[in-house]
Amino acid sequence: MRFKSLQTLKILLFLAVPASFYAQDLETLPKIISYTDQVQVKVHVDSYLENYFISGEGMDEELKLATNNDLRLTGLFDYKIFSFSYSFTPGFLPGNDDNAERGDSQYQDFTVRLFPGQFVQEFKYQRLKGFYVENTDVLFPDFFDNEGYLFFPDLKRTFYGGSTSYVLNPDFSLEGLLYQRKWQRVSAGSFVPSFNYSYARLKNDFETYTGVENNFDFSLDVSYYYNAVIEEQFNIAPYAFGGIGTRMSTYERSGEEYNDKESNTYFTTEYGAGIQVGYNTSKFLMGARLNYKSLSYTNENDTSLKDDSWYGLFFIGYRFDPPEKLRQTTERLGL
């Protein structure tokens, strides 16, 4: 009887010791794996759409302006605290070459991001040209029967903007979730307040005058992200956001027919939500995201404008060791 008890005790000790070491190992492993010492290159393909809904006193229907861009292609480069991306809408992608029916549209977007600590800093330049009235058949039924869509081929929108965000939970990685520069090993969530600021200029040349609109926007958003780690290499992350702000706008017409200027100040509200799924290894990564955002504002004359943007996104990327010259340069800079 004593012999059996000793054997049982030995078996229990044999099982318990490895288990205790395993539990201790889980506690000592980092909750977030960083890949910032590697170069990361990615490609995004998304159905980014930016529409404008304009309505005001005396208008029975909203005027819906859209660009002839169904798919956007983005190339990204990440190393250390820097991230660079360039987006455009090449004609070889499906839905970007329907110029005969919806007019010619051009799109360019250049973004720089920095990740100091728990901050995320972003600067963006964007340029769009060429819009069409998507609901031409409702607003101008006779024109629609004969011509298709009403075009504004010379309408240009130039955008300079930025945002400053702070992640409240240090155990949650926003740059890991949205930019794949890190990988979350333990499920976590966080509120992320953001301050956004931008200047946008819209210009259109008509037959007898030129119209120019200048917009200065400032807003404060609060987002919540939750990154659920399903397996060691898979995650799913829902998120939602909302915010308020102000827009200071001026519109000026100059030319043979008009020479006037008006100013407006708007109160803005925005909201949105999305979900992302991802797969990650030390070298290879991929994933997909669905996102919706709505921005609306109204002035004292009850003139309202609503800007809706929604997209589905697929990304794929690869990480590799940096070239020696790049590594030495960043070391000399103390990065």
Side-chain angles (χ1 to χ4, degrees):
M1 183 71 179
R2 184 169 177 268
F3 174 77
K4 292 184 178 179
S5 299
L6 287 174
Q7 288 293 98
T8 304
L9 180 61
K10 289 179 180 180
I11 293 173
L12 291 175
L13 288 174
F14 177 78
L15 295 174
V17 170
S20 64
F21 276 112
Y22 179 71
Q24 184 179 5
D25 190 45
L26 283 179
E27 293 178 359
T28 57
L29 285 175
K31 295 180 179 179
I32 299 173
I33 302 174
S34 176
Y35 301 108
T36 56
D37 287 335
Q38 294 182 318
V39 173
Q40 178 176 275
V41 291
K42 288 191 302 179
V43 175
H44 289 185
V45 178
D46 64 69
S47 57
Y48 179 85
L49 298 173
E50 188 158 355
N51 300 325
Y52 298 90
F53 298 82
I54 303 176
S55 65
E57 186 177 356
M59 295 181 62
D60 296 329
E61 296 286 343
E62 293 178 323
L63 182 68
K64 184 177 181 180
L65 296 176
T67 58
N68 182 18
N69 295 320
D70 287 349
L71 292 176
R72 179 176 64 163
L73 183 65
T74 302
L76 301 95
F77 176 89
D78 289 82
Y79 183 58
K80 295 295 187 180
I81 69 169
F82 301 103
S83 176
F84 306 93
S85 67
Y86 176 73
S87 304
F88 65 111
T89 53
F92 63 80
L93 291 178
N96 290 352
D97 57 354
D98 191 13
N99 297 343
E101 184 176 356
R102 297 186 295 174
D104 182 21
S105 295
Q106 302 173 18
Y107 178 95
Q108 290 180 327
D109 184 322
F110 182 74
T111 304
V112 177
R113 299 180 185 90
L114 305 174
F115 302 89
Q118 290 173 233
F119 283 93
V120 178
Q121 178 65 56
E122 180 178 284
F123 301 100
K124 176 180 290 189
Y125 166 78
Q126 186 184 83
R127 183 180 183 273
L128 294 87
K129 181 182 179 182
F131 291 78
Y132 71 98
V133 181
E134 191 170 279
N135 56 342
T136 300
D137 58 334
V138 177
L139 295 172
F140 314 101
D142 296 335
F143 181 92
F144 182 82
D145 291 339
N146 297 324
E147 304 292 340
Y149 292 99
L150 179 63
F151 301 149
F152 290 95
D154 296 321
L155 178 59
K156 297 182 287 290
R157 181 179 185 265
T158 306
F159 174 92
Y160 304 89
S163 65
T164 304
S165 304
Y166 184 77
V167 181
L168 296 181
N169 182 2
D171 293 329
F172 172 82
S173 176
L174 185 65
E175 61 178 306
L177 176 62
L178 297 186
Y179 311 109
Q180 294 77 50
R181 295 164 45 87
K182 297 182 179 181
W183 181 254
Q184 189 107 24
R185 297 187 65 254
V186 179
S187 299
S190 180
F191 285 99
V192 181
S194 302
F195 178 56
N196 311 294
Y197 32 89
S198 65
Y199 164 70
R201 176 183 174 89
L202 290 91
K203 180 180 179 182
N204 191 69
D205 295 320
F206 297 93
E207 292 183 359
T208 58
Y209 71 94
T210 298
V212 177
E213 180 174 308
N214 296 290
N215 296 317
F216 293 89
D217 288 88
F218 303 92
S219 66
L220 180 64
D221 299 341
V222 177
S223 307
Y224 183 79
Y225 299 85
Y226 187 78
N227 190 354
V229 181
I230 307 302
E231 295 287 346
E232 181 68 20
Q233 296 174 323
F234 294 90
N235 75 329
I236 181 170
Y239 58 91
F241 60 89
I244 59 174
T246 184
R247 166 172 287 188
M248 293 171 286
S249 176
T250 62
Y251 180 70
E252 183 175 2
R253 297 185 296 181
S254 58
E256 300 176 4
E257 186 177 356
Y258 299 101
N259 192 3
D260 54 15
K261 182 178 181 179
E262 66 176 79
S263 300
N264 286 289
T265 300
Y266 299 87
F267 174 75
T268 66
T269 60
E270 66 176 338
Y271 59 88
I275 190 169
Q276 177 173 304
V277 293
Y279 170 79
N280 179 78
T281 70
S282 61
K283 296 295 184 182
F284 178 76
L285 60 105
M286 64 183 299
R289 183 189 311 157
L290 291 175
N291 186 88
Y292 171 78
K293 175 182 177 181
S294 179
L295 169 67
S296 62
Y297 51 91
T298 305
N299 67 1
E300 62 275 10
N301 298 322
D302 291 330
T303 299
S304 63
L305 176 67
K306 184 179 181 182
D307 180 5
D308 282 357
S309 59
W310 59 270
Y311 65 86
L313 178 147
F314 172 78
F315 61 86
I316 187 170
Y318 186 76
R319 305 183 185 98
F320 55 90
D321 293 333
E324 188 63 22
K325 289 186 177 180
L326 177 61
R327 186 187 63 80
Q328 292 177 353
T329 300
T330 55
E331 286 182 352
R332 284 197 298 267
L333 295 174
L335 300 175

